[in-house]
Amino acid sequence: MDSNNKINVKPEIDRLINILDYVKKGRLVVPEFQRDYIWDKKQRIDLFDSIKRGFPIGSLLFWNPESNEYDYNNKIGPYTLKNSPNKYSYIIDGYQRITTLFSALINPEDESVQLQNKNNLQDYIVYYDLENQEFSQPTSKKIEPYYIPLYYLVDTFMFLSFSDNIKQFYDDETSTRYINRAKKLATILLDYSIAFVNINGGSIQDSVEIFSRINSKGSDMSPMWMLSALTYNDGFKFSEEIENLKLKLVTYGFEDLKTEIILQCVETATGKIYFDVKTESLAKRSDFKELCFKTFENILKAVDFLYYELNVLNYKLLPYNLQLIFITEFFKNKEQPSLEEKEALKKWFWQTSYSNYFSIYSLSKQRKAFVVFQEFSKGKISTPLFKANDEKFTVSEFPKTIYYGSVRSKTLALFMIKSLIEKSNYNIEDIKGFDDFYSLKPPLKDSEFMIPKLRGIDYSPSENNLSSYRKYRDYSFILLDDSVQNFDYYANFIDTKTLQKAEDLGRSRYYFIKREENDFVNSLNELEYESSFFDLGKYSIF
């Protein structure tokens, strides 16, 4: 922190209703670098439930610089604020909470705000169910009379109107009970106090550093927020560029790539593996903007490689996020890799997937693995695989199910997709992505009964089986005969002879897949498959 900047940090407490009034009057504003509103229905309801119970909801953090050098957003929730004051404070911590509270407690008819879109107003309005005494955001257009919008509770005229209305629907005893419950909650909301910290003076770097040291109970603090705040310049907003990248990843089925992983790729692009890089140090780089754009280009190259060369047709099929980080590093150092280097990289991918490479290695060994990989990507060595003490990696046992939370299971899924594409001679350009695995014998979901469904490859069932196919991921229609259009039985590890004996299908396909997988693993070197192939597993022949 720069000691030359005069900074005064002052903890304070004020009523919730006053803080919302400061927002409405423009005395508290949302800086442009603040991330978007992301809270869901449960988080909104939990916030009000905490207030009702008298629980603290975390302190807020406001920054009052000597000059308002950063642009601010005059939109909050579904509203646009009309005020444009000359002096204001930035909301640094608490944006999600303030947006939730303001959007639910401000009267949409208030002349100080302008509703942006009436269609999404209900996404923000929170009701209190006076019968069951709980908060709710009903999706039905028909709302019971005993549901009161929370902004009615803090607006005297709206509350009186509601009270008159409730008396017309219910008898005196019931209406009195409802009104008393509403009054009780209104008192809680109007009297509720929130702690906040005012940072007076200093720079945005100072406020972020203070922010990172304060034990806030909100969920606003994140490396992404920190970078967006520290690097906001000339309209460059890190979080928005991340979203632009994700739009480009849709083509590859990688739009769900976690923001955290993208940030880790940027951190690793500095030359060190991400867990050895302090996020705040990125913001101090004069080339941060260029580093981001270049890394985003390399992420796209890495995902393109995973998709077209390794048939990772969807983000959920990627065994390790670290594989993407490493491959992004490869394309940073090697813009035009040779065919031999690509083949070595593909082999490394399968070796690290089958060996549980990144699970069995500690952080210190992962550092060494990264250094070896870097040397490979710079053309200094011929193999990217790091081995501690020349160990032999062992492939874990055949997974019971195709489960996307398991590295071994995802690796099997990729092997089955690889077999299907290669043996059927499918052109990867004709494949439009990956749907999921469907069962040959529902409701069983054991691996040996599962078949990958690739978009663009049409072997759909007849109308009679269509509903079951869609609802239960049911491929049993394939077993009815051996002439389903476009379906390659051999590429899907099915011996057509077993179709006459459906009870033998599981055993037959289990050994078929294991035999092929064993051969493939042996071709990778450095790996050992199950030592006694036919002795292991649920279909043991002994």
Side-chain angles (χ1 to χ4, degrees), residues 236-385:
F236 176 75
K237 190 175 181 182
F238 187 49
S239 57
E240 284 186 359
E241 298 303 333
I242 293 287
E243 294 307 313
N244 291 336
L245 172 62
K246 288 185 177 183
L247 288 176
K248 296 176 182 178
L249 293 173
V250 171
T251 304
Y252 305 97
F254 268 67
E255 64 272 18
D256 293 328
L257 179 62
K258 295 178 181 178
T259 297
E260 176 188 7
I261 309 305
I262 298 174
L263 175 56
Q264 289 170 356
C265 287
V266 175
E267 291 170 333
T268 303
T270 63
K272 296 180 180 180
I273 193 165
Y274 72 90
F275 49 73
D276 286 333
V277 179
K278 292 184 178 180
T279 303
E280 56 267 30
S281 69
L282 291 178
K284 298 177 182 178
R285 295 178 63 105
S286 59
D287 64 342
F288 175 73
K289 183 176 178 179
E290 292 73 21
L291 180 71
C292 288
F293 287 135
K294 189 61 181 176
T295 303
F296 295 165
E297 289 178 14
N298 293 327
I299 289 173
L300 284 170
K301 290 180 180 179
V303 171
D304 186 88
F305 180 83
L306 287 165
Y307 188 94
Y308 286 104
E309 299 290 341
L310 290 159
N311 308 136
V312 184
L313 305 177
N314 191 290
Y315 173 58
K316 65 183 178 182
L317 289 167
L318 181 67
Y320 284 109
N321 288 318
L322 269 167
Q323 289 170 322
L324 173 61
I325 295 171
F326 275 51
I327 297 174
T328 300
E329 175 71 10
F330 172 81
F331 283 103
K332 184 194 85 171
N333 296 318
K334 188 72 65 174
E335 291 190 8
Q336 297 295 331
S338 66
L339 180 61
E340 290 77 12
E341 288 168 330
K342 285 186 176 181
E343 288 302 314
L345 187 58
K346 288 163 64 175
K347 188 174 184 179
W348 171 88
F349 174 85
W350 286 110
Q351 288 171 329
T352 55
S353 298
Y354 271 114
S355 65
N356 282 321
Y357 189 74
F358 292 108
S359 299
I360 62 177
Y361 276 166
S362 63
L363 289 182
S364 62
K365 288 185 177 179
Q366 286 184 28
R367 287 189 184 96
K368 294 178 181 178
F370 180 67
V371 171
V372 169
F373 190 89
Q374 275 186 317
E375 294 291 288
F376 163 75
S377 66
K378 293 176 181 178
K380 296 181 179 181
I381 57 177
S382 59
T383 177
L385 189 70

Side-chain angles (χ1 to χ4, degrees), residues 46-56 135 185 188 192:
D46 285 349
L47 180 67
F48 280 104
D49 188 62
S50 293
I51 292 174
K52 175 189 171 185
R53 294 167 180 261
F55 297 164
F135 296 98
L185 181 59
I188 292 173
Y192 190 82

Side-chain angles (χ1 to χ4, degrees), residues 82-117:
K82 296 181 179 181
N83 292 292
S84 299
N86 293 323
K87 185 66 177 174
Y88 45 81
S89 300
Y90 295 107
I91 300 170
I92 301 298
D93 183 18
Y95 170 62
Q96 303 293 322
R97 285 165 285 162
I98 288 176
T99 299
T100 299
L101 295 166
F102 186 86
S103 302
L105 295 175
I106 193 71
N107 186 343
E109 303 299 324
D110 193 310
E111 294 183 355
S112 299
V113 299
Q114 180 178 339
L115 188 60
Q116 299 171 36
N117 187 342

Side-chain angles (χ1 to χ4, degrees), residues 25-50:
K25 292 179 178 178
R27 290 171 56 186
L28 284 173
V29 299
V30 181
E32 273 290 348
F33 54 73
Q34 187 63 266
R35 67 175 177 168
D36 295 332
Y37 181 69
I38 61 172
W39 269 22
D40 58 25
K41 178 179 178 180
K42 183 179 184 305
Q43 288 172 298
R44 291 191 284 268
I45 289 175
D46 285 349
L47 180 67
F48 280 104
D49 188 62
S50 293

